[in-house]
Amino acid sequence: MKLSPLQIARYQYQPKLPGMLRNGIAKICVKNGGATESVADQDKIKALFPNTYGKNEITFQKGANTSEAKKQVVGVILSGGQAPGGHNVICGLYDALKATNKDNVLYGFKGGPSGLLEDSYVIFDDEYINAYRNTGGFDIIGSGRTKLETEEQFAVVAEVCKKHGITAIVIIGGDDSNTNAAVLAEYFAAHNTGVQVIGCPKTIDGDLKNEDIECSFGFDTATKTYSEIVGNIQRDANSAKKYWHFVKVMGRSASHVALETALQTQPNLCLIGEEVAAKKMSLAAIADYIADSVAARAAKGWNFGVAIIPEGIVEFVPEFSVLIAEINELLAGSKADAFNALPTWADKYAFIEKGLTKESMAVFAILPQSIQQQLFLERDPHGNVQVSLIESEKLFSEMVKANLAERKKAGTYNGKFSPLHHFLGYEGRCAFPSNFDADYCYSLGYNAFMLISYGYTGYLSKVSNLSKPAEEWVAGGMPITKMMNMERRHGHDKPVIRKALVELDGAPFKFFEANRETWAVETCYLYPGAIQYFGPSEVCDTTTKTLALEKA
Ligand code: FBP
């Protein structure tokens, strides 16, 4: 196989471990922290997790290794969307496992959680692992979105583990997957299977974080990749001076990715879904807000700019959420067939008009026709509108165009508005991990094996103090139940890890808020450039502005 020069160079990169894990396996011991309680609903969570609730937080430190000497057979899965660094979690896990005992075995179950259910796997060896060190992607074993959540599934997984003599499973996933890891750990403990479960925090969305987990892996590389591209677009905008660029960035729900990209690039505008919801902004109000910036810049002779739109924005617009709910209802079950059988868009429009409330119809009516049609075309397997596929960057630019036309009529605007659209998502999910993600992920995997060898289950591999150099990182583990609360999901109260949305009183948003009025009118662009893998530490190793501001 032919390799690119960067691939070859990255194979040679030695990821940095936290100082406390650098002394060799024989010199890593446990320091017990206090017993834990869930962040809320303690009685309910305790009742649901009688075997795994309330365990101690732990950190590792230098000292004689007192873990039980036994052969470990570990299974690992990647769950959900790709995030840069996933390969390194597996490499770190493998290296720690083999450094402890060369007879230890690592199974990689293929295609996500379904690999465990279908008993589809590879057994890793040096040659296999070495081909994936410090590379992006999840192609080492693939990933998937099957949820491991029912007792029947757990029983199948228990059988698969028994068949291979598996002593522990490592689940690399987001909030849902790690919630399910906790439930699986409880099931295994309750059924005396002897199989441990350890989770690792993954998602480019950055919404798996809390007082224990400083950030999920992949967020650093993905946002740096998007920031490089936004910076390049800004340079182009500032050179050509004729386009307004509407750039939608990934992040299914929370706006962390958009906010971080804005902090790195200082665009003219960035919408934050959580703020839109808090201020109950309507679509028209958002369009007006954007048009204000376009008009103010036009008054200075600048008919160009850059606006960042988070992928999840429309779900935060209250009137839009109601509209979506009504459309889902309107097309539920066989009603979708009746709708699809209508021959023309005019017939369909009449059907929609009859079915929606007056308020939702008013919202629907102001949408560009292409978006109206998208709402009725893209359905998920449950028949619901796929909100993430809505081209919100086009939605807002169309609405801004209409708003500016009104301003022109009123004589308050006399500029030119030529919008261009971009969607940055998949470009960032499989990039070569930044040094931060390469180091963080390798440490998470290595640390996961230390948790296994010390017998822990239902723990999340935790590496913290991440805004400091890796030498000062703190490695340990946190019971997943500590991060849980009860939430209403699909009509049932469920124990879950709370999804972290952008906090409007948090330092990253506050910084953005304090500067955005200037950025909206002036040209304050920053050009972060491509991720650097080799060179001075302040260029190559620093992590996100979000983390730096949160930890300042
Ligand atoms: P995870 O939360 O599973 O890590 O995935 C996040 C994400 O990348 C979102 O940003 C995006 O909306 C979604 O996955 C896209 O999913 P898919 O890969 O199925 O198109």
PDB file of all heavy atoms in Angstrom, residues 79-83 138 143-145 173-175 177 202-207 217 226 249-253 257 311-312 388-389 423 425-426 429 499, ligand 1:
ATOM      1  N   SER A  79     -18.550   3.498  18.725  1.00  0.00           N
ATOM      2  CA  SER A  79     -19.998   3.660  18.621  1.00  0.00           C
ATOM      3  C   SER A  79     -20.362   5.083  18.152  1.00  0.00           C
ATOM      4  O   SER A  79     -19.831   6.063  18.665  1.00  0.00           O
ATOM      5  CB  SER A  79     -20.601   3.381  20.000  1.00  0.00           C
ATOM      6  OG  SER A  79     -21.982   3.538  19.982  1.00  0.00           O
ATOM      7  N   GLY A  80     -21.234   5.181  17.163  1.00  0.00           N
ATOM      8  CA  GLY A  80     -21.728   6.485  16.712  1.00  0.00           C
ATOM      9  C   GLY A  80     -20.862   7.117  15.642  1.00  0.00           C
ATOM     10  O   GLY A  80     -20.136   6.440  14.914  1.00  0.00           O
ATOM     11  N   GLY A  81     -20.938   8.451  15.547  1.00  0.00           N
ATOM     12  CA  GLY A  81     -20.234   9.175  14.479  1.00  0.00           C
ATOM     13  C   GLY A  81     -18.724   9.158  14.665  1.00  0.00           C
ATOM     14  O   GLY A  81     -18.218   9.080  15.780  1.00  0.00           O
ATOM     15  N   GLN A  82     -18.015   9.242  13.558  1.00  0.00           N
ATOM     16  CA  GLN A  82     -16.544   9.254  13.603  1.00  0.00           C
ATOM     17  C   GLN A  82     -16.045  10.494  14.359  1.00  0.00           C
ATOM     18  O   GLN A  82     -16.681  11.544  14.318  1.00  0.00           O
ATOM     19  CB  GLN A  82     -15.962   9.287  12.191  1.00  0.00           C
ATOM     20  CG  GLN A  82     -15.964   7.958  11.485  1.00  0.00           C
ATOM     21  CD  GLN A  82     -17.345   7.497  11.078  1.00  0.00           C
ATOM     22  OE1 GLN A  82     -17.890   6.582  11.669  1.00  0.00           O
ATOM     23  NE2 GLN A  82     -17.938   8.138  10.095  1.00  0.00           N
ATOM     24  N   ALA A  83     -14.903  10.352  14.992  1.00  0.00           N
ATOM     25  CA  ALA A  83     -14.268  11.485  15.667  1.00  0.00           C
ATOM     26  C   ALA A  83     -12.762  11.239  15.634  1.00  0.00           C
ATOM     27  O   ALA A  83     -12.317  10.132  15.941  1.00  0.00           O
ATOM     28  CB  ALA A  83     -14.744  11.604  17.111  1.00  0.00           C
ATOM     29  N   PHE A 138     -12.422   5.850  11.655  1.00  0.00           N
ATOM     30  CA  PHE A 138     -12.804   4.710  12.503  1.00  0.00           C
ATOM     31  C   PHE A 138     -12.691   3.419  11.694  1.00  0.00           C
ATOM     32  O   PHE A 138     -13.265   2.400  12.056  1.00  0.00           O
ATOM     33  CB  PHE A 138     -14.260   4.864  12.977  1.00  0.00           C
ATOM     34  CG  PHE A 138     -14.445   5.735  14.216  1.00  0.00           C
ATOM     35  CD1 PHE A 138     -13.401   6.459  14.752  1.00  0.00           C
ATOM     36  CD2 PHE A 138     -15.680   5.793  14.851  1.00  0.00           C
ATOM     37  CE1 PHE A 138     -13.573   7.253  15.880  1.00  0.00           C
ATOM     38  CE2 PHE A 138     -15.871   6.572  15.980  1.00  0.00           C
ATOM     39  CZ  PHE A 138     -14.814   7.309  16.493  1.00  0.00           C
ATOM     40  N   SER A 143     -17.723   1.667  12.679  1.00  0.00           N
ATOM     41  CA  SER A 143     -18.590   2.092  13.779  1.00  0.00           C
ATOM     42  C   SER A 143     -20.035   1.891  13.356  1.00  0.00           C
ATOM     43  O   SER A 143     -20.305   1.475  12.228  1.00  0.00           O
ATOM     44  CB  SER A 143     -18.314   3.569  14.091  1.00  0.00           C
ATOM     45  OG  SER A 143     -19.069   3.982  15.204  1.00  0.00           O
ATOM     46  N   GLY A 144     -20.951   2.155  14.244  1.00  0.00           N
ATOM     47  CA  GLY A 144     -22.375   2.030  13.897  1.00  0.00           C
ATOM     48  C   GLY A 144     -23.228   2.666  14.969  1.00  0.00           C
ATOM     49  O   GLY A 144     -22.729   3.014  16.042  1.00  0.00           O
ATOM     50  N   ARG A 145     -24.505   2.822  14.668  1.00  0.00           N
ATOM     51  CA  ARG A 145     -25.400   3.515  15.603  1.00  0.00           C
ATOM     52  C   ARG A 145     -26.432   2.589  16.254  1.00  0.00           C
ATOM     53  O   ARG A 145     -27.401   3.059  16.834  1.00  0.00           O
ATOM     54  CB  ARG A 145     -26.102   4.671  14.895  1.00  0.00           C
ATOM     55  CG  ARG A 145     -25.179   5.820  14.497  1.00  0.00           C
ATOM     56  CD  ARG A 145     -25.939   7.082  14.195  1.00  0.00           C
ATOM     57  NE  ARG A 145     -25.074   8.170  13.766  1.00  0.00           N
ATOM     58  CZ  ARG A 145     -24.427   8.991  14.598  1.00  0.00           C
ATOM     59  NH1 ARG A 145     -24.555   8.842  15.893  1.00  0.00           N
ATOM     60  NH2 ARG A 145     -23.657   9.959  14.129  1.00  0.00           N
ATOM     61  N   GLY A 173     -17.703   5.997  22.883  1.00  0.00           N
ATOM     62  CA  GLY A 173     -18.910   6.601  22.334  1.00  0.00           C
ATOM     63  C   GLY A 173     -19.295   7.900  23.020  1.00  0.00           C
ATOM     64  O   GLY A 173     -18.573   8.410  23.884  1.00  0.00           O
ATOM     65  N   GLY A 174     -20.465   8.423  22.636  1.00  0.00           N
ATOM     66  CA  GLY A 174     -20.954   9.689  23.179  1.00  0.00           C
ATOM     67  C   GLY A 174     -21.819   9.487  24.410  1.00  0.00           C
ATOM     68  O   GLY A 174     -21.729   8.441  25.069  1.00  0.00           O
ATOM     69  N   ASP A 175     -22.661  10.469  24.702  1.00  0.00           N
ATOM     70  CA  ASP A 175     -23.442  10.398  25.949  1.00  0.00           C
ATOM     71  C   ASP A 175     -24.379   9.192  25.968  1.00  0.00           C
ATOM     72  O   ASP A 175     -24.474   8.486  26.984  1.00  0.00           O
ATOM     73  CB  ASP A 175     -24.210  11.713  26.187  1.00  0.00           C
ATOM     74  CG  ASP A 175     -25.062  12.136  25.010  1.00  0.00           C
ATOM     75  OD1 ASP A 175     -24.738  11.778  23.874  1.00  0.00           O
ATOM     76  OD2 ASP A 175     -26.076  12.823  25.230  1.00  0.00           O
ATOM     77  N   SER A 177     -24.120   6.310  24.234  1.00  0.00           N
ATOM     78  CA  SER A 177     -23.372   5.046  24.278  1.00  0.00           C
ATOM     79  C   SER A 177     -22.791   4.809  25.666  1.00  0.00           C
ATOM     80  O   SER A 177     -22.742   3.668  26.147  1.00  0.00           O
ATOM     81  CB  SER A 177     -22.224   5.055  23.270  1.00  0.00           C
ATOM     82  OG  SER A 177     -22.722   5.342  21.998  1.00  0.00           O
ATOM     83  N   LYS A 202     -16.317  10.185  23.565  1.00  0.00           N
ATOM     84  CA  LYS A 202     -16.079  10.571  22.174  1.00  0.00           C
ATOM     85  C   LYS A 202     -17.220  11.405  21.622  1.00  0.00           C
ATOM     86  O   LYS A 202     -18.383  11.126  21.929  1.00  0.00           O
ATOM     87  CB  LYS A 202     -15.969   9.281  21.343  1.00  0.00           C
ATOM     88  CG  LYS A 202     -15.956   9.467  19.862  1.00  0.00           C
ATOM     89  CD  LYS A 202     -17.014   8.643  19.116  1.00  0.00           C
ATOM     90  CE  LYS A 202     -18.401   9.183  19.292  1.00  0.00           C
ATOM     91  NZ  LYS A 202     -19.419   8.647  18.370  1.00  0.00           N
ATOM     92  N   THR A 203     -16.996  12.405  20.880  1.00  0.00           N
ATOM     93  CA  THR A 203     -17.907  13.058  19.931  1.00  0.00           C
ATOM     94  C   THR A 203     -17.335  14.416  19.525  1.00  0.00           C
ATOM     95  O   THR A 203     -16.891  15.191  20.376  1.00  0.00           O
ATOM     96  CB  THR A 203     -19.351  13.261  20.427  1.00  0.00           C
ATOM     97  OG1 THR A 203     -20.063  13.976  19.415  1.00  0.00           O
ATOM     98  CG2 THR A 203     -19.491  14.027  21.737  1.00  0.00           C
ATOM     99  N   ILE A 204     -17.357  14.665  18.228  1.00  0.00           N
ATOM    100  CA  ILE A 204     -16.874  15.977  17.765  1.00  0.00           C
ATOM    101  C   ILE A 204     -17.802  17.082  18.250  1.00  0.00           C
ATOM    102  O   ILE A 204     -17.426  18.240  18.297  1.00  0.00           O
ATOM    103  CB  ILE A 204     -16.761  16.071  16.225  1.00  0.00           C
ATOM    104  CG1 ILE A 204     -18.146  15.948  15.556  1.00  0.00           C
ATOM    105  CG2 ILE A 204     -15.787  15.075  15.661  1.00  0.00           C
ATOM    106  CD1 ILE A 204     -18.210  16.644  14.217  1.00  0.00           C
ATOM    107  N   ASP A 205     -19.048  16.711  18.603  1.00  0.00           N
ATOM    108  CA  ASP A 205     -20.039  17.734  18.982  1.00  0.00           C
ATOM    109  C   ASP A 205     -19.671  18.455  20.276  1.00  0.00           C
ATOM    110  O   ASP A 205     -20.200  19.531  20.549  1.00  0.00           O
ATOM    111  CB  ASP A 205     -21.422  17.103  19.146  1.00  0.00           C
ATOM    112  CG  ASP A 205     -22.008  16.651  17.820  1.00  0.00           C
ATOM    113  OD1 ASP A 205     -21.326  16.793  16.793  1.00  0.00           O
ATOM    114  OD2 ASP A 205     -23.148  16.149  17.818  1.00  0.00           O
ATOM    115  N   GLY A 206     -18.800  17.854  21.085  1.00  0.00           N
ATOM    116  CA  GLY A 206     -18.351  18.504  22.324  1.00  0.00           C
ATOM    117  C   GLY A 206     -19.426  18.554  23.402  1.00  0.00           C
ATOM    118  O   GLY A 206     -19.280  19.269  24.388  1.00  0.00           O
ATOM    119  N   ASP A 207     -20.514  17.778  23.228  1.00  0.00           N
ATOM    120  CA  ASP A 207     -21.607  17.878  24.199  1.00  0.00           C
ATOM    121  C   ASP A 207     -21.568  16.791  25.261  1.00  0.00           C
ATOM    122  O   ASP A 207     -22.492  16.678  26.068  1.00  0.00           O
ATOM    123  CB  ASP A 207     -22.972  17.909  23.494  1.00  0.00           C
ATOM    124  CG  ASP A 207     -23.194  16.698  22.598  1.00  0.00           C
ATOM    125  OD1 ASP A 207     -22.368  15.772  22.619  1.00  0.00           O
ATOM    126  OD2 ASP A 207     -24.196  16.693  21.865  1.00  0.00           O
ATOM    127  N   PHE A 217     -13.227  13.566  23.037  1.00  0.00           N
ATOM    128  CA  PHE A 217     -12.161  13.617  22.023  1.00  0.00           C
ATOM    129  C   PHE A 217     -12.768  13.861  20.630  1.00  0.00           C
ATOM    130  O   PHE A 217     -13.942  13.583  20.392  1.00  0.00           O
ATOM    131  CB  PHE A 217     -11.272  12.372  22.075  1.00  0.00           C
ATOM    132  CG  PHE A 217     -11.827  11.106  21.464  1.00  0.00           C
ATOM    133  CD1 PHE A 217     -11.854  10.920  20.086  1.00  0.00           C
ATOM    134  CD2 PHE A 217     -12.253  10.055  22.272  1.00  0.00           C
ATOM    135  CE1 PHE A 217     -12.323   9.740  19.515  1.00  0.00           C
ATOM    136  CE2 PHE A 217     -12.726   8.865  21.729  1.00  0.00           C
ATOM    137  CZ  PHE A 217     -12.776   8.709  20.347  1.00  0.00           C
ATOM    138  N   TYR A 226     -12.447  22.845  10.818  1.00  0.00           N
ATOM    139  CA  TYR A 226     -13.456  23.801  10.344  1.00  0.00           C
ATOM    140  C   TYR A 226     -12.900  25.233  10.411  1.00  0.00           C
ATOM    141  O   TYR A 226     -13.178  26.053   9.534  1.00  0.00           O
ATOM    142  CB  TYR A 226     -14.741  23.711  11.172  1.00  0.00           C
ATOM    143  CG  TYR A 226     -15.362  22.325  11.208  1.00  0.00           C
ATOM    144  CD1 TYR A 226     -16.003  21.836  12.344  1.00  0.00           C
ATOM    145  CD2 TYR A 226     -15.293  21.493  10.096  1.00  0.00           C
ATOM    146  CE1 TYR A 226     -16.546  20.560  12.374  1.00  0.00           C
ATOM    147  CE2 TYR A 226     -15.826  20.217  10.118  1.00  0.00           C
ATOM    148  CZ  TYR A 226     -16.452  19.751  11.264  1.00  0.00           C
ATOM    149  OH  TYR A 226     -16.979  18.492  11.285  1.00  0.00           O
ATOM    150  N   VAL A 249     -21.946  24.578  10.237  1.00  0.00           N
ATOM    151  CA  VAL A 249     -20.974  23.616  10.772  1.00  0.00           C
ATOM    152  C   VAL A 249     -21.699  22.535  11.567  1.00  0.00           C
ATOM    153  O   VAL A 249     -22.733  22.787  12.174  1.00  0.00           O
ATOM    154  CB  VAL A 249     -19.884  24.277  11.669  1.00  0.00           C
ATOM    155  CG1 VAL A 249     -19.016  25.199  10.867  1.00  0.00           C
ATOM    156  CG2 VAL A 249     -20.501  24.984  12.862  1.00  0.00           C
ATOM    157  N   MET A 250     -21.128  21.348  11.551  1.00  0.00           N
ATOM    158  CA  MET A 250     -21.749  20.188  12.192  1.00  0.00           C
ATOM    159  C   MET A 250     -21.905  20.371  13.694  1.00  0.00           C
ATOM    160  O   MET A 250     -21.267  21.227  14.309  1.00  0.00           O
ATOM    161  CB  MET A 250     -20.905  18.956  11.921  1.00  0.00           C
ATOM    162  CG  MET A 250     -21.725  17.744  11.631  1.00  0.00           C
ATOM    163  SD  MET A 250     -20.656  16.369  11.218  1.00  0.00           S
ATOM    164  CE  MET A 250     -21.666  15.519  10.029  1.00  0.00           C
ATOM    165  N   GLY A 251     -22.686  19.514  14.254  1.00  0.00           N
ATOM    166  CA  GLY A 251     -23.017  19.531  15.682  1.00  0.00           C
ATOM    167  C   GLY A 251     -24.521  19.339  15.750  1.00  0.00           C
ATOM    168  O   GLY A 251     -25.263  20.292  15.590  1.00  0.00           O
ATOM    169  N   ARG A 252     -24.917  18.084  15.940  1.00  0.00           N
ATOM    170  CA  ARG A 252     -26.330  17.714  15.786  1.00  0.00           C
ATOM    171  C   ARG A 252     -27.264  18.628  16.578  1.00  0.00           C
ATOM    172  O   ARG A 252     -28.298  19.040  16.090  1.00  0.00           O
ATOM    173  CB  ARG A 252     -26.519  16.272  16.261  1.00  0.00           C
ATOM    174  CG  ARG A 252     -27.900  15.715  15.998  1.00  0.00           C
ATOM    175  CD  ARG A 252     -28.069  14.388  16.688  1.00  0.00           C
ATOM    176  NE  ARG A 252     -27.156  13.378  16.183  1.00  0.00           N
ATOM    177  CZ  ARG A 252     -27.375  12.632  15.104  1.00  0.00           C
ATOM    178  NH1 ARG A 252     -28.491  12.791  14.435  1.00  0.00           N
ATOM    179  NH2 ARG A 252     -26.508  11.729  14.711  1.00  0.00           N
ATOM    180  N   SER A 253     -26.864  18.947  17.808  1.00  0.00           N
ATOM    181  CA  SER A 253     -27.795  19.691  18.643  1.00  0.00           C
ATOM    182  C   SER A 253     -27.099  20.912  19.249  1.00  0.00           C
ATOM    183  O   SER A 253     -27.394  22.053  18.888  1.00  0.00           O
ATOM    184  CB  SER A 253     -28.326  18.722  19.718  1.00  0.00           C
ATOM    185  OG  SER A 253     -29.205  19.381  20.546  1.00  0.00           O
ATOM    186  N   VAL A 257     -19.532  23.457  18.577  1.00  0.00           N
ATOM    187  CA  VAL A 257     -18.617  23.463  17.417  1.00  0.00           C
ATOM    188  C   VAL A 257     -18.652  24.842  16.752  1.00  0.00           C
ATOM    189  O   VAL A 257     -17.610  25.418  16.426  1.00  0.00           O
ATOM    190  CB  VAL A 257     -18.997  22.353  16.410  1.00  0.00           C
ATOM    191  CG1 VAL A 257     -18.168  22.464  15.141  1.00  0.00           C
ATOM    192  CG2 VAL A 257     -18.803  20.973  17.045  1.00  0.00           C
ATOM    193  N   GLU A 311     -25.399  23.480  12.928  1.00  0.00           N
ATOM    194  CA  GLU A 311     -26.267  22.486  12.292  1.00  0.00           C
ATOM    195  C   GLU A 311     -27.622  22.347  12.995  1.00  0.00           C
ATOM    196  O   GLU A 311     -28.659  22.210  12.365  1.00  0.00           O
ATOM    197  CB  GLU A 311     -25.539  21.124  12.304  1.00  0.00           C
ATOM    198  CG  GLU A 311     -26.281  20.003  11.623  1.00  0.00           C
ATOM    199  CD  GLU A 311     -25.594  18.645  11.787  1.00  0.00           C
ATOM    200  OE1 GLU A 311     -24.596  18.540  12.526  1.00  0.00           O
ATOM    201  OE2 GLU A 311     -26.065  17.686  11.183  1.00  0.00           O
ATOM    202  N   GLY A 312     -27.582  22.414  14.326  1.00  0.00           N
ATOM    203  CA  GLY A 312     -28.814  22.130  15.080  1.00  0.00           C
ATOM    204  C   GLY A 312     -29.726  23.330  15.269  1.00  0.00           C
ATOM    205  O   GLY A 312     -30.722  23.244  15.984  1.00  0.00           O
ATOM    206  N   SER A 388     -31.592  17.674  10.801  1.00  0.00           N
ATOM    207  CA  SER A 388     -30.187  17.988  10.514  1.00  0.00           C
ATOM    208  C   SER A 388     -29.934  18.128   9.012  1.00  0.00           C
ATOM    209  O   SER A 388     -28.909  18.664   8.606  1.00  0.00           O
ATOM    210  CB  SER A 388     -29.265  16.933  11.113  1.00  0.00           C
ATOM    211  OG  SER A 388     -29.486  15.706  10.473  1.00  0.00           O
ATOM    212  N   LEU A 389     -30.850  17.630   8.185  1.00  0.00           N
ATOM    213  CA  LEU A 389     -30.638  17.742   6.738  1.00  0.00           C
ATOM    214  C   LEU A 389     -31.194  19.041   6.158  1.00  0.00           C
ATOM    215  O   LEU A 389     -31.019  19.336   4.977  1.00  0.00           O
ATOM    216  CB  LEU A 389     -31.279  16.544   6.016  1.00  0.00           C
ATOM    217  CG  LEU A 389     -30.691  15.173   6.358  1.00  0.00           C
ATOM    218  CD1 LEU A 389     -31.350  14.094   5.521  1.00  0.00           C
ATOM    219  CD2 LEU A 389     -29.185  15.141   6.140  1.00  0.00           C
ATOM    220  N   PHE A 423     -21.275  23.740   3.784  1.00  0.00           N
ATOM    221  CA  PHE A 423     -21.580  22.905   4.954  1.00  0.00           C
ATOM    222  C   PHE A 423     -20.304  22.176   5.340  1.00  0.00           C
ATOM    223  O   PHE A 423     -19.742  21.423   4.540  1.00  0.00           O
ATOM    224  CB  PHE A 423     -22.692  21.896   4.642  1.00  0.00           C
ATOM    225  CG  PHE A 423     -22.883  20.873   5.750  1.00  0.00           C
ATOM    226  CD1 PHE A 423     -22.856  21.260   7.089  1.00  0.00           C
ATOM    227  CD2 PHE A 423     -23.079  19.527   5.458  1.00  0.00           C
ATOM    228  CE1 PHE A 423     -23.024  20.335   8.119  1.00  0.00           C
ATOM    229  CE2 PHE A 423     -23.249  18.593   6.484  1.00  0.00           C
ATOM    230  CZ  PHE A 423     -23.222  19.002   7.808  1.00  0.00           C
ATOM    231  N   GLY A 425     -18.801  19.488   7.734  1.00  0.00           N
ATOM    232  CA  GLY A 425     -19.184  18.434   8.674  1.00  0.00           C
ATOM    233  C   GLY A 425     -18.241  17.259   8.559  1.00  0.00           C
ATOM    234  O   GLY A 425     -17.286  17.110   9.330  1.00  0.00           O
ATOM    235  N   TYR A 426     -18.466  16.465   7.523  1.00  0.00           N
ATOM    236  CA  TYR A 426     -17.698  15.226   7.369  1.00  0.00           C
ATOM    237  C   TYR A 426     -16.211  15.509   7.127  1.00  0.00           C
ATOM    238  O   TYR A 426     -15.371  14.660   7.410  1.00  0.00           O
ATOM    239  CB  TYR A 426     -18.322  14.381   6.248  1.00  0.00           C
ATOM    240  CG  TYR A 426     -19.766  14.042   6.589  1.00  0.00           C
ATOM    241  CD1 TYR A 426     -20.820  14.807   6.108  1.00  0.00           C
ATOM    242  CD2 TYR A 426     -20.048  13.012   7.471  1.00  0.00           C
ATOM    243  CE1 TYR A 426     -22.133  14.533   6.477  1.00  0.00           C
ATOM    244  CE2 TYR A 426     -21.352  12.734   7.846  1.00  0.00           C
ATOM    245  CZ  TYR A 426     -22.394  13.495   7.355  1.00  0.00           C
ATOM    246  OH  TYR A 426     -23.675  13.226   7.758  1.00  0.00           O
ATOM    247  N   ARG A 429     -14.423  15.107  10.562  1.00  0.00           N
ATOM    248  CA  ARG A 429     -14.609  13.985  11.493  1.00  0.00           C
ATOM    249  C   ARG A 429     -13.524  12.917  11.406  1.00  0.00           C
ATOM    250  O   ARG A 429     -13.391  12.105  12.317  1.00  0.00           O
ATOM    251  CB  ARG A 429     -15.969  13.322  11.248  1.00  0.00           C
ATOM    252  CG  ARG A 429     -17.128  14.216  11.602  1.00  0.00           C
ATOM    253  CD  ARG A 429     -18.371  13.435  11.885  1.00  0.00           C
ATOM    254  NE  ARG A 429     -18.639  12.400  10.896  1.00  0.00           N
ATOM    255  CZ  ARG A 429     -19.714  11.627  10.923  1.00  0.00           C
ATOM    256  NH1 ARG A 429     -20.605  11.769  11.893  1.00  0.00           N
ATOM    257  NH2 ARG A 429     -19.916  10.708  10.004  1.00  0.00           N
ATOM    258  N   LYS A 499     -26.851  15.734  28.338  1.00  0.00           N
ATOM    259  CA  LYS A 499     -26.142  16.328  27.190  1.00  0.00           C
ATOM    260  C   LYS A 499     -25.744  17.756  27.562  1.00  0.00           C
ATOM    261  O   LYS A 499     -26.578  18.505  28.085  1.00  0.00           O
ATOM    262  CB  LYS A 499     -27.086  16.358  25.995  1.00  0.00           C
ATOM    263  CG  LYS A 499     -26.395  16.330  24.662  1.00  0.00           C
ATOM    264  CD  LYS A 499     -27.391  16.313  23.530  1.00  0.00           C
ATOM    265  CE  LYS A 499     -27.558  14.991  22.814  1.00  0.00           C
ATOM    266  NZ  LYS A 499     -26.349  14.306  22.408  1.00  0.00           N
TER     267      LYS A 499
HETATM  268  P1  FBP B   1     -21.827  11.356  17.562  1.00  0.00           P
HETATM  269  O1  FBP B   1     -22.559  12.179  18.586  1.00  0.00           O
HETATM  270  O2  FBP B   1     -22.325   9.985  17.444  1.00  0.00           O
HETATM  271  O3  FBP B   1     -20.362  11.431  17.816  1.00  0.00           O
HETATM  272  O4  FBP B   1     -22.026  11.992  16.102  1.00  0.00           O
HETATM  273  C1  FBP B   1     -22.104  13.349  15.919  1.00  0.00           C
HETATM  274  C2  FBP B   1     -22.304  13.749  14.474  1.00  0.00           C
HETATM  275  O5  FBP B   1     -21.072  13.909  13.803  1.00  0.00           O
HETATM  276  C3  FBP B   1     -23.125  15.026  14.427  1.00  0.00           C
HETATM  277  O6  FBP B   1     -22.304  16.163  14.486  1.00  0.00           O
HETATM  278  C4  FBP B   1     -23.877  14.888  13.135  1.00  0.00           C
HETATM  279  O7  FBP B   1     -25.093  15.574  13.204  1.00  0.00           O
HETATM  280  C5  FBP B   1     -24.102  13.410  13.025  1.00  0.00           C
HETATM  281  O8  FBP B   1     -23.066  12.796  13.756  1.00  0.00           O
HETATM  282  C6  FBP B   1     -24.124  12.913  11.614  1.00  0.00           C
HETATM  283  O9  FBP B   1     -24.435  11.559  11.635  1.00  0.00           O
HETATM  284  P2  FBP B   1     -24.201  10.564  10.433  1.00  0.00           P
HETATM  285  O10 FBP B   1     -22.765  10.181  10.459  1.00  0.00           O
HETATM  286  O11 FBP B   1     -25.067   9.409  10.775  1.00  0.00           O
HETATM  287  O12 FBP B   1     -24.552  11.269   9.176  1.00  0.00           O
END
